[in-house]
Amino acid sequence: MATKVKASIRLKFCDPKQLSAAVAALRPEVNSPVTHRASVNLQVQESFLVLTVDAEDTIALRATINAYLRWIASTVNVVEVAEYM
């Protein structure tokens, strides 16, 4: 894939459980991407999750970022609900 666009997003997590759950939930997606138009790298830096997306075009970049942010938000919501049960 020839990278033409790139974005990095740093998300701060106040709860280490949420950070750990997000990384675990996203790891299969990172390891087996659905499309060849974008690739994703995840890094944990202290209490931050760093999401780096390399894509062939802005459409693939936007779609990939949106998908990962939705998955992260869903994971955080599930951990919050599970903690209160």
Side-chain angles (χ1 to χ4, degrees), residues 23-80:
V23 171
L26 295 175
R27 190 64 59 201
E29 298 299 329
V30 171
N31 292 337
S32 299
V34 176
T35 180
H36 66 280
R37 293 176 57 201
S39 63
V40 176
N41 183 33
L42 292 177
Q43 291 181 317
V44 175
Q45 297 175 349
E46 297 176 10
S47 62
F48 289 91
L49 175 62
V50 181
L51 173 72
T52 304
V53 180
D54 295 299
E56 291 181 0
D57 53 61
T58 55
I59 295 169
L61 180 73
R62 179 196 54 79
T64 303
I65 289 171
N66 286 341
Y68 275 82
L69 291 178
R70 281 192 308 269
W71 291 331
I72 292 167
S74 295
T75 302
V76 168
N77 288 338
V78 168
V79 171
E80 286 176 353

